[in-house]
């Protein structure tokens, strides 16, 4: 409880609070994490997320991607952790969220200043003419999606392994981290670069690092000043209650 009180005090009195989230914030919305016993990568061949695999083995790669990232996510809704972050942004406490997640749940929860470091599964882009589509404009079937304009192959607008991070997202997240005096990490193993550098930029800029995770991560012993060993929704509810009571 002491960590929660300390963290709530630092958040409440922060001048520039930023947040960095990973798959762990969405597990309570029914979206599995990537790593660990029941993680996606224990059921899904991670190599199918290589951009070269999507371009060369398109049909096989697309079938797996559709099953994992579209069919199974379809009913996922923001949970309390997403909603509290959105509330903190509305009342000016939280300045931005940089997320590794492609599930669009921060935006669905109402967060506006969301930096989608790995893109967003709600959109597709054409390899040939670069036309961009929202999911709703397409009818996703077992066949790889095709551009309505030029017939080219469409790609989900999230970052595949082997692809560069969107320049705007990389720059924005770096700037946000450097401006922070308090930086909140929620639900990530911190094992995927370059995303996992973001909390280090914040730390280097002098930010106090608060981490929420039921398990230890690569940040816990090296970077985090306050570690809240809890699930995201429970920790965020408790913090919110202390801050606004
Ligand atoms: N609340 C908070 N954190 C949780 C919860 C929970 N209820 N349940 C699990 N976690 C934590 C796990 O302890 C773990 O540290 O969520 C983290 C999930 O880690 P990963 O599956 O590695 O997900 P993430 O860190 O977001 O992966 C980063 O890897 O494959 C790429 O692009 C993919 O964005 C992803 C990146």
């Amino acid at each position: 409880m002491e960590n929660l009180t300390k963290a709530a005090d630092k958040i409440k009195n922060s001048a520039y609070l930023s947040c960095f989230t990973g798959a762990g914030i969405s597990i309570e919305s029914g979206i599995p994490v990537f790593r660990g016993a029941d993680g996606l990568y224990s059921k899904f061949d991670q190599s199918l997320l290589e951009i070269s695999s999507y371009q060369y083995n398109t049909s096989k790669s697309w079938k797996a991607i559709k099953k994992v990232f579209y069919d199974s996510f379809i009913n996922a809704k923001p949970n309390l952790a997403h909603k509290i972050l959105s509330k903190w942004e509305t009342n000016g406490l939280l300045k931005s969220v940089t997320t590794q997640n492609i599930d669009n749940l921060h935006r669905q929860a109402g967060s506006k200043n969301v930096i989608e470091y790995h893109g967003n599964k709600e959109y597709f882009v054409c390899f040939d003419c670069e036309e961009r589509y929202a999911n709703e404009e397409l009818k996703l079937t077992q066949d790889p999606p095709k551009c309505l304009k030029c017939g080219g192959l469409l790609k989900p607008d999230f970052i595949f392994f082997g692809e560069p991070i969107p320049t705007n997202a990389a720059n924005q997240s770096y700037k946000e981290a450097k401006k922070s005096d308090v930086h909140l990490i929620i639900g990530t193993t911190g094992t995927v670069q370059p995303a996992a550098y973001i909390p280090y930029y914040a730390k280097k800029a002098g930010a106090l690092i608060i981490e929420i995770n039921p398990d230890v991560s690569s940040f816990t012993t090296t970077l985090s000043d306050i570690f809240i060993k809890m699930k995201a929704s429970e920790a965020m509810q408790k913090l919110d209650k202390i801050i606004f009571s």
Side-chain angles (χ1 to χ4, degrees), residues 22-24 27-28 33-35 41 100 118 187-189 192 213-214 232:
I27 196 167
E28 292 162 86
V33 292
F34 289 96
R35 295 168 185 83
Y41 291 154
Q100 300 171 90
H118 290 151
T188 177
T189 45
V192 171
N213 196 323

Side-chain angles (χ1 to χ4, degrees), residues 177-192:
K178 282 203 312 175
K179 283 195 270 190
S180 306
D181 65 326
V182 180
H183 185 69
L184 176 59
I185 303 171
I186 306 176
T188 177
T189 45
T191 50
V192 171

Side-chain angles (χ1 to χ4, degrees), residues 7-216:
D9 175 59
K10 296 295 180 190
I11 289 169
K12 187 172 183 174
N13 296 301
S14 61
Y16 204 96
L17 171 69
S18 60
C19 183
F20 178 66
T21 65
I25 196 171
S26 296
I27 196 167
E28 292 162 86
S29 296
I31 296 181
V33 292
F34 289 96
R35 295 168 185 83
D38 292 330
L40 285 173
Y41 291 154
S42 64
K43 304 179 187 100
F44 168 76
D45 175 0
Q46 188 177 337
S47 67
L48 289 172
L49 270 180
E50 294 282 345
I51 188 65
S52 49
S53 167
Y54 186 71
Q55 287 169 318
Y56 186 70
N57 262 321
T58 309
S59 183
K60 183 178 176 199
S61 176
W62 166 249
K63 284 190 175 66
I65 286 168
K66 180 177 181 292
K67 182 165 174 266
V68 170
F69 292 104
Y70 292 92
D71 303 347
S72 54
F73 282 12
I74 198 146
N75 298 320
K77 292 274 173 288
N79 63 56
L80 261 178
H82 297 104
K83 289 177 184 165
I84 291 170
L85 285 175
S86 171
K87 170 188 155 189
W88 288 5
E89 180 189 69
T90 308
N91 62 26
L93 182 61
L94 176 68
K95 307 300 181 206
S96 66
V97 179
T98 295
T99 186
Q100 300 171 90
N101 303 338
I102 59 170
D103 57 33
N104 200 44
L105 292 182
H106 284 297
R107 289 192 191 286
Q108 283 180 38
S111 290
K112 300 277 181 293
N113 195 0
V114 182
I115 301 164
E116 290 164 328
Y117 204 80
H118 290 151
N120 185 323
K121 61 175 269 296
E122 296 299 301
Y123 295 91
F124 284 77
V125 67
C126 177
F127 273 113
D128 296 339
C129 70
E130 297 181 7
E131 186 75 10
R132 195 165 182 262
Y133 299 93
N135 278 6
E136 299 75 44
E137 298 173 74
L138 304 166
K139 193 177 171 331
L140 300 179
T141 68
Q142 283 304 314
D143 299 323
K146 293 292 168 61
C147 180
L148 306 177
K149 209 169 129 195
C150 77
L153 174 63
L154 294 181
K155 178 184 95 65
D157 200 13
F158 57 70
I159 305 304
F160 284 57
F161 288 112
E163 280 197 293
I165 298 300
T167 312
N168 186 37
N171 294 346
Q172 280 302 321
S173 54
Y174 176 65
K175 278 193 266 186
E176 286 299 303
K178 282 203 312 175
K179 283 195 270 190
S180 306
D181 65 326
V182 180
H183 185 69
L184 176 59
I185 303 171
I186 306 176
T188 177
T189 45
T191 50
V192 171
Q193 276 74 26
Y197 287 125
I198 292 164
Y200 284 89
Y201 300 147
K203 183 81 174 189
K204 193 166 176 217
L208 178 113
I209 308 295
I210 299 167
E211 182 183 11
I212 297 171
N213 196 323
D215 299 317
V216 292

